[in-house]
Amino acid sequence: MSLMFEKQPFAVRGFNLCESILRHTPEQLRKFIRRMKVLRMNTLIVHSDYGWNRRKELMIGECRNAGVDIVLMVFGPRTFFSNVPWKTQYFAKDDNGRPFSLKPECETHPCTFDEEGKEAFYCGAVKWLEELPEAVKKVHLRAADGNMFCRCQHCRTLTPWEKWQNFVELFAQAAEKVRPDLQWETDIYFKRYDLPEDTAVFDKMHRMMYDTFGRHPSVELGSRKDEIHLDVMSALTEKKYPGLTPNSYHLQQLKMWAERFPGKVYIHENAMMQRQQGIFQYGTSAYLRDLEIFRELGIPGVCYEAFEPGYCGYEKMFEILGKALCGEEPEFIPGELDKLLPEKMMEVFCCDRDFPLEKFVHDPFELALMEHYRLVYWEPGAENCRKFIDFAFANPEKCDMLNIGYGTLRTGMLMGKIKFSGLSESAEDLINRRKLWDFMEEIPPESDPVDVCRDLIRELAEKAEDIS
């Protein structure tokens, strides 16, 4: 495949470590950042909530040596409320007025009608900004997934942006007070893809991140072939867009944002997709076509979700995309699966029970990974979960083993397929967390978070039982 690219490099060429820092060993982080220099990537998004305090000296030093800018991303409600004496009344509530969260966590949203909560958010933001290392010059304010915005009697009539924008403005005030030198930004993310009526605070931002959450990786943005993902539309937006699929919807909304804020909207692409356990999705062709679209729209660049555990499956793709981001014409010849999957359109590559994986996948490790994933996708019983976890633990450099272990067991539990008995208090706590990374961040600094979680996942796997 030969695509003609302009020679001008994209200004933003990078990766987003997402919530994965504590799933890395220090050696893996060094390897990841040093590779960025080879790929000529210049931007690394790092989540301050998850592992930053343990690894910041390492990451600041390695990024400085590699010529990589750190963008420190913060889940505002989780971290800012944690900085002050918080109350559950500050948090978003369900239709019955009960807080979704009982303590600040990844998925916590605030209630915009709680004035005391807004003051606490502002004070927590000030404290966080005061503690920022001088080496950090760029900050990203992130909101959690859009499923648990406040539904109290006051908030339920507001749009998702109206429920969050007050807090973006409070962060802007805190940043201007404490670190006026900062370049700061926020995200355009699911439930918040429509332009808000009041865009004044966005004019103050250095740039904005448009997250293409829910798009199908086998076809480019704008395509309507991704009808298999139609159910994702309800997660992306509360409005009705008849005839649009996630990919076509994203291009429509992206054009609107790019026109309103020319040169300020860059892309976040969920390329490695944590929820799909490291299964490569053969999206290289589509992502290359996306880059052509971004150039036409004046989009300044892309950050791809990526992390070292499991990176090997995506390595060739990122080498190709890295060259394209730098303005070079990449050497890419689509393989059989690259050509087949846009027509086959499986929800997740390899989830089709009848698809002949062995016909197309010849690497023994990749084939085994896909077979394990497909098995637990359809039959998430205790024994299949144990086999997948054993495989991941036997391949720690190639697998995101903690995410596979936690995700596989928790999915089986939530689907009513497995249960646990006789668990330790810590294992019980882990399996009932909404997010693995919230649990990991609370592990005491004298303990290794990878070791702790590996041991607890082993306990969970051993004590998992089928529900008949």
Side-chain angles (χ1 to χ4, degrees):
M1 180 177 184
S2 178
L3 296 174
M4 293 304 296
F5 287 87
E6 300 175 17
K7 296 299 181 182
Q8 185 66 33
F10 283 94
V12 178
R13 309 183 302 275
F15 289 131
N16 178 5
L17 285 170
C18 287
E19 304 90 350
S20 68
I21 304 174
L22 289 178
R23 303 204 302 275
H24 290 77
T25 64
E27 292 73 23
Q28 286 176 320
L29 284 172
R30 290 190 185 93
K31 180 179 181 181
F32 187 91
I33 296 169
R34 292 176 185 183
R35 186 193 294 113
M36 290 183 68
K37 184 175 183 178
V38 176
L39 296 175
R40 291 173 291 172
M41 296 293 196
N42 62 10
T43 302
L44 182 64
I45 300 173
V46 180
H47 282 222
S48 75
D49 307 73
Y50 301 111
W52 171 252
N53 288 331
R54 291 181 190 250
R55 306 286 188 242
K56 61 185 174 185
E57 288 82 7
L58 181 157
M59 302 189 78
I60 289 172
E62 290 290 342
C63 285
R64 183 188 300 117
N65 293 338
V68 171
D69 287 340
I70 290 175
V71 179
L72 195 60
M73 177 180 281
V74 58
F75 280 104
R78 180 198 178 279
T79 295
F80 300 161
F81 285 144
S82 296
N83 279 343
V84 297
W86 53 269
K87 301 176 183 178
T88 55
Q89 73 182 49
Y90 304 162
F91 305 159
K93 302 163 185 68
D94 64 18
D95 293 317
N96 296 311
R98 292 186 295 262
F100 285 114
S101 305
L102 297 180
K103 63 179 180 178
E105 57 179 300
C106 180
E107 295 298 320
T108 298
H109 280 291
C111 173
T112 196
F113 277 89
D114 194 293
E115 295 300 323
E116 185 180 325
K118 286 194 282 191
E119 178 64 22
F121 183 95
Y122 173 80
C123 291
V126 167
K127 187 174 187 296
W128 184 81
L129 289 161
E130 288 175 340
E131 294 172 353
L132 274 184
E134 282 297 317
V136 174
K137 305 295 184 184
K138 298 179 180 180
V139 165
H140 180 108
L141 176 66
R142 182 82 166 179
D145 297 343
N147 294 322
M148 295 195 299
F149 274 117
C150 194
R151 301 174 198 165
C152 74
Q153 60 179 338
H154 302 294
C155 289
R156 67 184 57 167
T157 61
L158 302 179
T159 68
W161 266 122
E162 289 170 333
K163 296 176 183 180
W164 173 237
Q165 196 161 334
N166 281 337
F167 299 93
V168 179
E169 292 167 350
L170 288 170
F171 182 79
Q173 295 170 22
E176 181 62 30
K177 174 184 177 180
V178 180
R179 286 286 302 272
D181 62 305
L182 277 181
Q183 296 180 358
W184 69 277
E185 60 185 59
T186 194
D187 57 329
I188 303 162
Y189 192 37
F190 79 77
K191 301 294 189 191
R192 291 178 286 113
Y193 287 115
D194 292 303
L195 276 170
E197 290 188 14
D198 181 2
T199 60
V201 72
F202 294 89
D203 291 315
K204 300 177 183 179
M205 296 180 199
H206 175 59
R207 60 192 183 196
M208 289 141 264
M209 171 204 279
Y210 187 104
D211 191 320
T212 61
F213 180 87
R215 64 84 50 88
H216 201 292
S218 291
V219 290
E220 69 275 11
L221 295 179
S223 174
R224 284 179 165 80
K225 287 185 177 180
D226 60 320
E227 291 186 351
I228 195 168
H229 271 187
L230 278 176
D231 61 326
V232 177
M233 287 297 293
S234 62
L236 299 180
T237 177
E238 294 181 347
K239 295 184 178 180
K240 301 296 183 183
Y241 288 94
L244 290 186
T245 62
N247 284 36
S248 53
Y249 169 76
H250 274 309
L251 183 56
Q252 170 186 285
Q253 299 304 98
L254 181 57
K255 285 179 177 178
M256 178 176 61
W257 281 92
E259 181 179 348
R260 173 62 183 83
F261 299 101
K264 293 179 71 171
V265 180
Y266 74 102
I267 304 299
H268 175 237
E269 184 61 58
N270 293 277
M272 280 183 65
M273 292 178 283
Q274 297 184 79
R275 67 193 180 281
Q276 291 171 9
Q277 311 294 23
I279 305 295
F280 183 58
Q281 297 296 297
Y282 294 89
T284 310
S285 298
Y287 292 155
L288 286 172
R289 287 192 288 270
D290 285 348
L291 291 181
E292 294 184 285
I293 294 170
F294 299 155
R295 287 192 183 279
E296 292 173 3
L297 295 179
I299 300 295
V302 186
C303 283
Y304 298 99
E305 177 190 61
F307 29 87
E308 196 58 32
Y311 183 90
C312 61
Y314 290 79
E315 187 166 11
K316 292 179 181 178
M317 183 182 78
F318 286 135
E319 288 175 358
I320 292 165
L321 294 176
K323 289 180 179 179
L325 285 168
C326 288
E328 297 180 9
E329 183 178 353
E331 293 295 326
F332 174 54
I333 301 175
E336 290 180 279
L337 283 171
D338 295 283
K339 298 173 184 176
L340 174 64
L341 292 180
E343 302 304 322
K344 181 70 174 172
M345 289 308 298
M346 284 181 276
E347 180 182 354
V348 178
F349 168 60
C350 87
C351 70
D352 189 328
R353 278 180 159 173
D354 299 321
F355 188 79
L357 289 171
E358 66 285 348
K359 178 180 176 181
F360 298 98
V361 181
H362 306 297
D363 180 273
F365 168 79
E366 290 184 12
L367 180 60
L369 177 66
M370 294 172 188
E371 289 175 335
H372 278 295
Y373 179 90
R374 181 162 62 180
L375 194 57
V376 298
Y377 182 92
W378 290 106
E379 300 175 29
E383 191 56 30
N384 289 339
C385 288
R386 276 191 283 269
K387 288 178 179 178
F388 195 6
I389 292 167
D390 287 343
F391 174 80
F393 280 14
N395 294 277
E397 293 304 314
K398 292 183 176 182
C399 290
D400 190 353
M401 62 177 183
L402 300 185
N403 201 34
I404 288 173
Y406 164 85
T408 300
L409 292 167
R410 182 166 167 81
T411 298
M413 180 184 74
L414 294 177
M415 291 179 66
K417 300 296 184 180
I418 60 176
K419 63 182 180 179
F420 306 92
S421 59
L423 292 178
S424 66
E425 184 177 341
S426 294
E428 185 82 34
D429 183 9
L430 172 59
I431 199 61
N432 285 293
R433 293 292 185 116
R434 268 190 276 259
K435 301 290 186 180
L436 167 64
W437 29 93
D438 278 321
F439 179 88
M440 294 190 78
E441 184 66 11
E442 295 176 16
I443 293 171
E446 64 272 13
S447 299
D448 184 283
V450 173
D451 290 343
V452 169
C453 289
R454 184 195 291 113
D455 290 344
L456 291 175
I457 289 168
R458 283 197 178 108
E459 177 188 344
L460 288 161
E462 289 170 1
K463 296 178 179 178
E465 305 171 6
D466 289 329
I467 297 177
S468 56

